[in-house]
């Protein structure tokens, strides 16, 4: 660099500080591009240029400009100290184009004229529409309007795009590391004597003037104002409307449209602020309860002020509701910690009045404002927008300027409130109201931190207190405010007509809240219940609730079984506490364990909170099974589409998690579990529940983890879900359902939802088998497709087993729909049986007919030695089953059967005396016979005719019996009895013994009159 060899030429080699009277000589050579001027304002001082042979010629001046790149010998003459009498000015020139500057850095010799006061200047030429960027890497700058403490001061002058000059003064600091300038620029740096300078004062960069464009979409009833300080930096905002482009320091966008806004600088957010104003006029149209927040998205990195102009009809008020945790009032014109500052302004006849300035997180829940007002939200550009989602609505009619509703916090707090316009004056003759909600078991006290009373021209300043069911109390600001009170209250401040030439009404007051300090005490005694324990847990968010057990502060209290505990509760709402009673039921031998009825354990009545749930833990040996039965007779598992809606809910769980939720009255008759389980019961007013929840008994070990005994309802489908549905079953667990179907019903089994895991060991299994059958209707693993629907005709057994999952869960839901069985099979079987019976009857008839024919073909007569031969089959007799012709009223002894043998007509041979009712008689033949014995006739035994009803015997068979099995002789025939004869003594063979009568009619007969003895005629 050129200044290095200049240093060498300067040398400041004071070969000999010629102290000839008052002179100082030195040799310097200014470098190219710099102009050095040495001057003094002292009349007796001069700087001389030494020249000539042996340096004998001198030319002296009070101000001397040195020629660049020309060595010169200088001599300073002054009666005053030279360092104080002379000053040095060094001027540089920098030329810039639209893209660069030459030189691009301001470099100096730090030791050049170091002992003098130096003024360094740089003239920088910049083309139009070009931005010069100066960077100060050493220390940066800080703008000032006075002198700099260390004597280093910068003066920078430039011009704006419209030619207006701009001047600024800076000290060395850290707030600005760079400057953006335009137009002709001059930089002056004043350096005190003997002060060090950096070798590079600044760097210079030139670039064509940049711009930034933004697209803005305005909403109806919304106005956007973009503005900056007119004395600020040179950066305009331009908007084109109706083909006319306007550029200025302020633009107002009113119409609801899309518009492009262009700034003439790259960082307009550093200079511009944006106001977004939206009108909500409920006097013209109906208003929504929510304020639309779409305007929040505009100009995200600018300093923004959001304004909502709110208006209702004059006789009404509008209300602003703030979400939890409310708003905190702060002094007006102060900023909030999160830099989101809200203000509420109302418009009165006397002018606008600021109701208050608010921040997030406080006790104010809503503000009610009369007629017309404004809501402000101020957010800086470097802050991410996080506004409060407040709501706007119509409020009740009021005469108050505003009403603040305040929910005072629990615990110890001090909340400050101020009157409108504070520290300014409260409007004349106006009223302001505060509604305070005080938490239960808390006391409040008020104090006036600061107030001023006006000079009233009429009326007085009045402070009124309102409490529920109490008289209105009036005070003045000089009276003691309320102390140590409880309950909600209202306070109204009413101003008088004041003398406005004097100080008006102001009030700053504080409301202090503290706990009342009355804890609820309770001693829980479980010494008589060795299996019952009590747990109390805080479930609310109230940080001021304090629970103690035996004077020790607890967040969760556990009173162990068989012990006592002294409990206290301070400022704990009952709804924030959850009370659970736990009872342990243990069975080591299922054969000796009694049946248990699960009822609510009796707890101490001093416990203030309701009983939330009762938990029973059932512990048993591995060889036992617990059986659960409902007191109503059945259960129902809570599943999607089969939810429990009864007053009592039961939750079952085991060591691996949940087994499901159940309630009373459903298809499940019994639940068996081969694992230790827990049962949780919930219902309203659990403390006073009188009945029992479950019957618990124990039985021998079962192979499954759980068994459900199910009886479906024919009128509605039922759902069966695996334990812990919709989550998966436990690893390697097994569940079975024993489904008993009603008579004449079959089941349609539909697997509506099945999830299969990826198994690491073994397989999942779904099996269906009818009870009493070994064959399985269905058996599927996780890698096999399952039947969507299955018809099961009889009661069946459904089993599901899980594997050791590697990923995923195993679970299923099955639906059972009962269907009435079809009678088609019974009809077919009935028809087949009828046909078979008919066939059997035909066979029997044929066999009987054949045998009868054989019998008729083998008929024979009995040989009688003397007299005519009588053949029974020569006559055919009529059947008399329909009359009483076989009943004998009397028999004439003169008649014999003999005269009938020679006549062809039996009826004609009879005398007129016997032509009445036909009568028969049979007499044993006693006439002479041959002495030779008759041969024995052998006949086959006839099978008895079954299932045939024979009312009476045919005449051909009733006259003479079939041939006896033994030879007939007179002696033997007397003892023969033919059972085909009718039940009458005249039709029975006589014998030496008693008569053996046989009735041939099934009807009961009246007693018969005595029958006369019949004399047998030979």
């Amino acid at each position: 660099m050129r200044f290095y060899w200049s240093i060498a030429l300067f040398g400041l080699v004071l070969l000999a500080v010629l102290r000839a009277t008052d002179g100082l000589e030195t040799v310097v050579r200014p470098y190219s591009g710099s102009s050095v001027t040495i001057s003094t304002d002292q009349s007796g001082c001069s700087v001389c240029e030494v020249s000539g042979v042996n340096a004998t010629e001198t030319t002296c001046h009070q101000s001397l400009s040195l020629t660049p790149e020309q060595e010169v010998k200088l001599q300073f003459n002054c009666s005053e100290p030279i360092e104080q009498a002379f000053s040095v000015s060094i001027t540089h020139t920098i030329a810039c184009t639209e893209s660069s500057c030459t030189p691009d850095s301001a470099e100096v010799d730090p030791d050049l004229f170091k002992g003098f006061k130096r003024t360094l200047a740089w003239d920088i030429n910049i083309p139009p529409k070009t931005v010069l960027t100066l960077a100060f890497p050493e220390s940066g700058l800080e703008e000032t309007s006075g002198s700099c403490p260390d004597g280093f001061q910068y003066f920078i002058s430039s011009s704006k795009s419209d030619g207006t000059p701009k001047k600024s003064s800076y000290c060395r600091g850290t707030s600005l590391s760079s400057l953006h300038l335009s137009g002709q620029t001059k930089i002056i740096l004043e350096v005190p004597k003997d002060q060090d300078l950096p070798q590079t004062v600044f760097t210079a960069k030139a670039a064509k003037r940049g711009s930034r464009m933004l697209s803005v979409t305005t909403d109806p009833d919304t106005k956007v104002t973009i503005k900056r300080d007119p004395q600020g930096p040179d950066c305009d905002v331009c908007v084109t409307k109706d083909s006319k482009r306007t550029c200025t320091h302020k633009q107002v966008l009113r119409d609801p449209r899309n518009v492009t806004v262009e700034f003439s600088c790259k960082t307009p957010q550093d200079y511009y602020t944006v106001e977004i104003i939206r009108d909500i006029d409920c006097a013209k149209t109906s208003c929504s309860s929510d304020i639309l927040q779409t305007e929040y998205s505009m100009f995200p990195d600018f300093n923004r002020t959001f304004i909502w102009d709110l208006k209702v009809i004059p006789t009404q008020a509008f209300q602003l509701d703030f979400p939890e945790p409310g708003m905190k009032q702060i002094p007006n014109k102060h900023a909030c910690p999160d830099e989101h500052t809200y203000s509420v302004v109302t418009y009165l006849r006397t002018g606008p009045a600021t109701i208050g300035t608010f921040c997030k997180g406080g006790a104010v829940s809503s503000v009610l404002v009369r007629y017309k007002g404004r809501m402000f939200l101020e957010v800086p550009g470097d802050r991410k927008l996080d506004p409060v989602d407040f709501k706007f609505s119509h409020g009740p009619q009021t005469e108050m300027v505003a009403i603040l509703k305040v929910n005072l916090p629990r615990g110890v707090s001090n909340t400050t409130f101020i009157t409108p316009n504070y520290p300014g004056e409260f409007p004349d003759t106006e009223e302001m109201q505060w509604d305070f909600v005080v938490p239960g078991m808390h006391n409040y006290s008020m104090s006036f931190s600061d107030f001023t009373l006006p000079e009233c021209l009429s009326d007085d300043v009045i402070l009124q207190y309102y409490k529920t069911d109490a008289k209105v109390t009036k005070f003045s600001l000089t009276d003691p405010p309320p102390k140590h009170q409880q309950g909600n209250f209202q306070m109204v401040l009413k101003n008088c007509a004041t003398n406005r030439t004097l100080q008006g009404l102001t009030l700053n007051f504080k409301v202090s809240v503290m706990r009342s300090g009355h804890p609820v005490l309770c001693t829980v005694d479980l010494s008589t219940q060795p299996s019952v324990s009590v747990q109390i847990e805080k479930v609310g968010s109230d940080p001021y609730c304090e629970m103690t057990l035996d004077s020790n502060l607890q967040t969760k209290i556990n009173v162990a079984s068989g012990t006592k505990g002294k409990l206290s509760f301070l400022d704990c709402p009952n709804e924030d506490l959850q009370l659970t009673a736990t009872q342990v039921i243990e069975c080591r031998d299922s054969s000796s364990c009694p049946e248990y009825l699960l009822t609510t354990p009796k707890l101490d009545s001093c416990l203030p909170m309701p009983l939330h749930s009762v938990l029973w833990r059932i512990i048993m040996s591995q060889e036992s099974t617990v059986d659960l039965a409902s007191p109503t007779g059945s259960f129902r598992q809570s599943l999607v589409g089969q939810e429990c809606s009864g007053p009592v809910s039961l939750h079952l769980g085991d060591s691996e998690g949940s087994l499901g939720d159940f309630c009373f009255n459903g298809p499940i008759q019994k639940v068996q579990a081969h694992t230790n389980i827990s049962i949780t019961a919930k219902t309203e007013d659990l403390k006073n529940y009188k009945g029992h929840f479950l019957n618990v008994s124990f039985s021998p070990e079962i192979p499954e983890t759980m068994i459900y005994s199910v009886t479906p309802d024919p009128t509605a489908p039922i759902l069966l879900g695996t334990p812990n549905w919709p989550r998966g079953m436990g690893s390697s667990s097994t569940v079975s359902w024993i489904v008993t179907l009603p008579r004449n019903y079959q089941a349609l089994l539909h697997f509506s939802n099945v999830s299969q895991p990826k198994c690491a060991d073994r397989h999942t299994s779904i099996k269906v088998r009818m009870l009493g059958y070994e064959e399985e209707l269905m058996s599927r693993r996780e890698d096999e497709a399952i039947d969507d629907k299955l018809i099961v005709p009889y009661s069946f057994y459904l089993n599901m087993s899980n594997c050791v999952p590697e990923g995923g869960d195993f679970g299923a839901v099955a639906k059972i729909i009962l269907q009435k069985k079809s009678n088609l099979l019974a009809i077919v079987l009935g028809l087949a049986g009828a046909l078979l019976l008919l066939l059997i009857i035909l066979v029997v008839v044929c066999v009987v007919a054949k045998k009868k024919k054989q019998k008729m073909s083998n008929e024979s007569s009995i040989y009688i030695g003397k007299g005519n031969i009588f053949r029974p089959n020569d006559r055919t007799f009529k059947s008399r089953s329909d009359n009483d012709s076989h009943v004998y009223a009397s028999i004439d002894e003169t008649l014999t059967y003999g005269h009938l043998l020679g006549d062809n007509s039996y009826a004609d041979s009879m005398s007129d005396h016997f032509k009445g009712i036909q009568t028969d008689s049979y007499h044993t033949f006693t006439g002479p016979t041959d002495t030779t014995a008759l041969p024995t006739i052998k006949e086959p035994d006839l099978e008895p005719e079954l299932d045939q009803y024979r009312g009476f015997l045919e005449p051909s068979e009733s006259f003479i019996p079939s041939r006896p099995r033994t030879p007939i002789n007179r002696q033997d025939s007397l003892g023969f009895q033919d059972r085909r004869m009718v039940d009458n003594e005249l039709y029975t063979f006589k014998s030496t013994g008693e008569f053996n009568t046989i009735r041939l009619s099934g009807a009961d007969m009246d007693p018969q009159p005595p029958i006369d003895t019949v004399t047998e005629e030979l």
Side-chain angles (χ1 to χ4, degrees):
M1 292 289 186
R2 286 174 291 181
F3 72 90
Y4 288 114
W5 62 265
S6 293
I7 297 173
L9 292 178
F10 285 116
L12 292 181
V13 182
L14 303 177
L15 299 176
V17 182
L18 301 175
R19 264 288 183 187
T21 1
D22 297 355
L24 173 66
E25 293 185 357
T26 182
V27 178
V28 297
R29 182 187 176 98
Y31 58 85
S32 176
S34 64
S35 177
V36 179
T37 300
I38 304 171
S39 62
T40 181
D41 57 359
Q42 300 293 330
S43 58
C45 298
S46 63
V47 54
C48 302
E49 182 179 354
V50 180
S51 61
V53 180
N54 297 323
T56 57
E57 298 179 7
T58 59
T59 302
C60 297
H61 307 276
Q62 283 189 321
S63 177
L64 178 64
S65 296
L66 303 182
T67 304
E69 298 184 351
Q70 182 176 348
E71 184 177 294
V72 62
K73 184 177 181 179
L74 300 177
Q75 182 181 9
F76 297 92
N77 298 313
C78 188
S79 59
E80 299 293 332
I82 295 174
E83 294 83 358
Q84 296 179 1
F86 290 90
S87 63
V88 178
S89 175
I90 305 174
T91 304
H92 307 79
T93 300
I94 298 177
C96 295
T97 65
E98 291 183 349
S99 59
S100 64
C101 293
T102 303
D104 59 359
S105 61
E107 296 183 356
V108 296
D109 175 12
D111 296 326
L112 179 60
F113 294 109
K114 183 177 180 180
F116 293 85
K117 179 182 178 182
R118 291 168 288 177
T119 300
L120 306 179
W122 289 267
D123 290 324
I124 304 176
N125 298 318
I126 303 174
K129 297 183 179 181
T130 301
V131 176
L132 173 66
T133 301
L134 303 180
F136 299 86
E138 184 68 21
S139 60
L141 299 179
E142 185 174 349
E143 189 170 4
T144 182
S145 58
S147 300
C148 297
D150 58 359
F152 282 86
Q153 191 152 7
Y154 292 85
F155 297 95
I156 300 177
S157 61
S158 62
S159 60
K160 301 179 181 179
S161 57
D162 58 357
T164 304
K166 178 186 178 182
K167 296 182 179 181
S168 301
S169 177
Y170 301 90
C171 298
R172 292 195 296 183
T174 59
S175 61
L176 296 174
S177 62
S178 63
L179 295 176
H180 303 283
L181 307 173
S182 61
Q184 298 299 319
T185 301
K186 185 169 186 177
I187 301 174
I188 298 175
L189 172 59
E190 292 183 351
V191 182
K193 67 185 183 71
D194 297 326
Q195 295 294 320
D196 294 330
L197 268 177
Q199 185 175 341
T200 302
V201 179
F202 59 85
T203 60
K205 293 182 180 180
K208 190 176 181 179
R209 181 188 297 274
S211 63
R212 181 180 176 186
M213 300 180 67
L214 295 174
S215 179
V216 179
T217 302
T218 56
D219 293 330
D221 302 322
T222 300
K223 180 176 70 173
V224 179
T225 301
I226 310 167
K227 62 182 179 180
R228 66 170 174 83
D229 185 357
Q231 302 301 322
D234 185 18
C235 181
D236 291 337
V237 55
C238 303
V239 175
T240 301
K241 182 179 180 181
D242 298 331
S243 302
K244 183 179 180 182
R245 179 182 175 87
T246 58
C247 296
T248 181
H249 67 279
K250 180 179 179 180
Q251 293 284 356
V252 179
L253 309 178
R254 295 182 181 275
D255 299 331
R257 59 189 177 94
N258 294 331
V259 62
T260 299
V261 178
E262 182 178 2
F263 297 91
S264 63
C265 55
K266 288 186 176 181
T267 58
Q269 64 272 16
D270 295 338
Y271 320 120
Y272 279 88
T273 60
V274 178
E275 285 186 355
I276 303 173
I277 305 173
R278 184 177 176 207
D279 290 330
I280 302 178
D281 190 351
C282 293
K284 298 180 180 178
T285 60
S286 59
C287 294
S288 171
S289 61
D290 296 328
I291 291 184
L292 299 178
Q293 311 280 337
T294 55
E295 55 266 23
Y296 285 156
S297 60
M298 292 190 289
F299 300 96
D301 53 351
F302 285 71
N303 293 336
R304 289 151 295 167
T305 300
F306 299 94
I307 302 174
W308 293 271
D309 280 336
L310 308 171
K311 184 180 180 181
V312 295
I313 59 178
T315 58
Q316 292 184 345
F318 64 85
Q319 182 167 318
L320 300 174
D321 294 313
F322 305 109
E324 291 291 340
M327 305 294 283
K328 176 183 178 182
Q329 189 173 13
I330 62 173
N332 297 328
K333 297 183 180 180
H334 283 214
C336 296
D338 63 351
E339 297 184 302
H340 286 60
T341 305
Y342 299 81
S343 300
V344 179
V345 175
T346 184
Y347 293 95
L348 305 174
R349 291 185 179 89
T350 57
T354 301
I355 301 299
T357 302
F358 304 93
C359 302
K360 287 182 185 178
V364 179
S365 61
S366 67
V367 178
L368 190 72
V369 182
R370 185 179 63 196
Y371 177 42
K372 184 179 180 181
R374 266 191 170 189
M375 175 78 172
F376 292 83
L377 168 59
E378 297 180 10
V379 183
D382 58 349
R383 177 67 61 178
K384 181 180 178 181
L385 187 62
D386 183 22
V388 170
D389 187 19
F390 64 93
K391 299 183 184 301
F392 167 78
S393 62
H394 282 90
Q397 185 174 354
T398 181
E399 296 296 328
M400 305 292 172
V401 172
I403 299 176
L404 263 65
K405 295 184 178 181
V406 183
N407 293 324
L408 295 172
R410 298 179 63 86
V412 180
S413 66
N414 294 292
T415 308
T416 300
F417 300 92
I418 56 178
T419 52
N421 290 335
Y422 185 89
E425 300 172 356
F426 185 75
D428 282 12
T429 67
E430 296 289 352
E431 297 180 62
M432 175 75 182
Q433 178 175 320
W434 292 264
D435 292 346
F436 293 96
V437 177
V438 182
M441 299 178 292
H442 282 66
N443 294 342
Y444 71 88
S445 298
M446 295 188 63
S447 61
F448 299 145
S449 303
D450 179 42
F451 67 90
T452 59
L453 288 173
E455 179 181 336
C456 291
L457 301 180
S458 63
D459 298 327
D460 295 316
V461 175
I462 299 175
L463 198 59
Q464 297 176 331
Y465 293 93
Y466 298 83
K467 296 193 69 173
T468 304
D469 299 330
K471 294 183 179 180
V472 178
T473 305
K474 296 183 179 181
F475 295 89
S476 69
L477 294 179
T478 57
D479 295 329
K483 299 286 186 181
H484 306 295
Q485 301 292 319
Q486 288 187 345
N488 304 334
F489 70 98
Q490 297 176 347
M491 187 181 79
V492 176
L493 176 64
K494 183 178 181 181
N495 196 8
C496 62
T498 66
N499 183 355
R500 297 191 179 182
T501 62
L502 301 176
Q503 175 66 46
L505 173 64
T506 64
L507 175 61
N508 182 327
F509 65 96
K510 183 189 299 182
V511 180
S512 301
V513 176
M514 63 202 74
R515 287 181 289 184
S516 58
H518 299 290
V520 177
L521 304 178
C522 180
T523 300
V524 177
D525 187 1
L526 301 178
S527 58
T528 59
Q529 302 184 70
S531 62
V532 177
S533 60
V534 170
Q535 298 80 37
I536 303 174
E537 184 176 4
K538 290 172 58 176
V539 294
S541 59
D542 189 350
Y544 303 103
C545 170
E546 292 184 359
M547 301 190 307
T548 61
L549 173 61
D550 296 333
S551 301
N552 296 318
L553 193 63
Q554 306 283 337
T555 58
K556 183 176 182 179
I557 292 177
N558 182 27
V559 182
S561 58
T563 65
K564 289 184 180 180
K566 295 182 178 180
L567 283 60
S568 70
F569 305 93
L570 178 61
D571 294 342
C572 295
N574 290 339
E575 59 271 15
D576 287 355
L577 301 178
Q578 182 171 292
L579 172 62
T580 302
T582 302
Q583 183 175 8
V584 178
I585 298 176
E586 190 171 357
C587 176
R588 296 302 178 184
D589 184 1
S590 61
S591 62
S592 61
C593 293
E595 181 177 354
Y596 293 90
L597 301 181
L598 300 187
T599 59
T600 303
K602 186 176 180 180
L603 302 178
D604 292 274
S605 59
C606 62
L607 290 170
M609 71 291 298
L611 182 58
H612 176 263
S613 61
V614 180
L615 173 64
W616 292 274
R617 299 186 186 277
I618 300 179
I619 302 174
M620 59 186 177
S621 63
Q622 295 183 354
E623 295 79 19
S624 300
T625 298
V626 60
D627 299 342
L628 306 179
S630 167
T632 64
S634 59
F635 299 101
R636 182 172 75 251
Q637 186 177 3
S638 182
L639 299 169
V640 177
Q642 186 179 272
E643 293 83 359
C644 287
S645 59
V648 177
S649 64
L650 301 171
H651 177 78
L652 271 62
D654 61 4
S655 58
E656 295 189 8
S658 174
L659 295 176
D661 294 317
F662 298 83
C663 54
F664 296 149
N665 300 325
I668 302 175
Q669 308 300 315
K670 183 171 65 173
V671 177
Q672 296 176 281
H674 182 218
T675 180
N676 294 335
I677 64 172
S678 63
I679 303 170
T680 304
K682 294 182 180 180
T683 186
E684 295 182 1
D685 197 12
L686 195 55
K687 283 185 179 179
N688 298 321
Y689 189 79
K690 300 301 182 183
H692 66 280
F693 296 95
L694 285 176
N695 299 350
V696 177
S697 59
F698 298 91
S699 59
E701 178 183 4
I702 58 174
E704 293 90 342
T705 306
M706 294 194 71
I707 295 179
Y708 299 91
S709 298
V710 180
T711 301
D713 183 3
T715 62
I718 66 168
L719 298 176
L720 304 178
T722 52
N724 200 29
W725 176 265
R727 292 170 290 275
M729 290 175 55
S731 176
S732 302
S733 62
T734 302
V735 62
S736 295
W737 291 268
I738 300 175
V739 182
T740 303
L741 302 182
R743 187 178 180 182
N744 297 328
Y745 279 90
Q746 63 183 9
L748 174 60
L749 183 59
H750 173 49
F751 295 96
S752 58
N753 197 339
V754 178
S755 63
Q756 295 282 8
K758 181 180 180 182
C759 292
D761 186 21
R762 300 192 297 177
H763 298 280
T764 65
S765 172
I766 300 178
K767 297 180 181 180
V768 179
R769 177 172 57 83
M770 290 190 296
L771 298 180
Y773 293 83
E774 295 297 331
E775 181 182 358
E776 294 176 346
L777 297 180
M778 187 186 73
S779 179
R780 297 291 186 271
R781 306 190 320 185
E782 78 280 358
D783 53 359
E784 296 175 340
I786 192 170
D787 297 342
D788 184 44
K789 295 182 180 179
L790 182 67
I791 295 180
V792 186
Y794 301 106
S795 300
F796 62 95
Y797 165 91
L798 172 61
N799 174 270
M800 297 186 188
S801 300
N802 195 10
C803 62
V804 179
E806 179 180 343
D809 294 320
F810 175 63
V813 172
K815 179 187 287 187
I816 297 178
I817 302 175
L818 294 189
Q819 299 175 340
K820 194 77 173 179
K821 287 184 179 180
S822 174
N823 293 326
L824 180 60
L825 180 61
I827 295 173
V828 172
L829 293 177
L831 290 176
L835 291 175
L836 180 61
L837 179 60
L838 181 60
L839 181 61
I840 293 173
I841 292 174
L842 290 176
V843 171
V844 171
V845 169
C846 292
V847 172
V848 171
K850 183 177 181 181
K851 290 184 177 181
K852 186 174 182 181
K853 185 176 181 181
Q854 291 175 355
K855 179 181 72 172
M856 292 179 65
S857 63
N858 295 329
E859 287 182 349
S860 61
S861 300
I862 302 175
Y863 173 74
I864 302 176
K866 294 181 181 181
N868 296 330
I869 298 174
F870 171 70
R871 294 183 297 178
N873 59 342
D874 286 346
R875 293 289 182 268
T876 301
F877 297 92
K878 296 181 180 181
S879 173
R880 293 189 291 266
S881 60
D882 298 329
N883 54 43
D884 295 332
S885 61
H886 58 285
V887 178
Y888 299 95
S890 62
I891 299 176
D892 192 345
E893 294 181 356
T894 61
L895 296 178
T896 61
Y897 289 104
H899 73 280
L900 298 175
L901 298 177
D903 296 338
N904 293 328
S905 176
Y906 170 73
D908 294 339
S909 62
M910 294 179 61
S911 62
D912 294 339
H913 178 73
F914 295 100
K915 289 184 180 180
I917 299 176
Q918 300 179 21
T919 58
D920 290 337
S921 64
Y922 178 79
H923 300 274
T924 304
F925 181 73
T926 57
T929 61
D930 296 342
T931 57
T932 58
L934 296 175
T936 300
I937 302 174
K938 296 183 178 180
E939 292 182 343
D941 295 335
L942 295 178
E943 296 181 0
E945 295 179 0
L946 303 176
D947 299 328
Q948 295 188 14
Y949 173 76
R950 301 288 295 275
F952 297 93
L953 299 178
E954 296 294 333
S956 61
E957 297 177 347
S958 64
F959 186 79
I960 183 171
S962 303
R963 282 177 288 194
R965 302 177 189 272
T966 57
I968 299 176
N969 55 41
R970 189 171 154 214
Q971 182 66 29
D972 295 332
S973 65
L974 293 176
F976 177 79
Q977 296 179 0
D978 191 340
R979 299 187 63 85
R980 293 175 296 177
M981 295 297 158
V982 295
D983 190 12
N984 194 290
E985 63 180 7
L986 297 178
Y987 283 79
T988 306
F989 293 100
K990 292 182 179 179
S991 66
T992 58
E994 296 294 331
F995 290 106
N996 183 13
T997 60
I998 300 176
R999 278 177 45 192
L1000 298 178
S1001 176
D1004 294 334
M1005 301 182 66
D1006 295 332
Q1008 297 182 359
I1011 300 176
D1012 298 333
T1013 305
V1014 180
T1015 305
E1016 294 183 351
E1017 181 179 343
L1018 299 177

